[in-house]
Amino acid sequence: MYEKSFIFLRGAGSVLNIAGNYTAHSVTGVKADIKAIRSDWVAIGNDINAAMAKAINAYFKL
């Protein structure tokens, strides 16, 4: 029972960042996350640009 309570408190403390970080993050992992998030946003931006171009073309063809 004690072990389950400790695991819960450790998780809750980590989420709330009480008394610092409980997990170590590698620099390589952080760089990979940054690269992935940037790639996702570039893809979203490209989709928005394509949708806007399609809408503008449709508007001016009226």
Side-chain angles (χ1 to χ4, degrees), residues 12-39:
S14 177
V15 169
L16 299 173
N17 198 22
I18 297 172
N21 294 330
Y22 294 95
T23 57
H25 299 284
S26 70
V27 173
T28 305
V30 171
K31 286 182 180 180
D33 288 344
I34 291 169
K35 186 176 178 180
I37 291 170
R38 183 181 184 282
S39 176

Side-chain angles (χ1 to χ4, degrees), residues 1 3-4 7-8 11 14-15 17 19-20 26 29 31-32 37 42 44-46 53 61:
M1 180 67 180
E3 187 174 322
K4 288 182 181 179
I7 292 171
F8 171 79
S14 177
V15 169
N17 198 22
S26 70
K31 286 182 180 180
I37 291 170
V42 167
I44 290 168
N46 290 338
K61 285 184 182 178

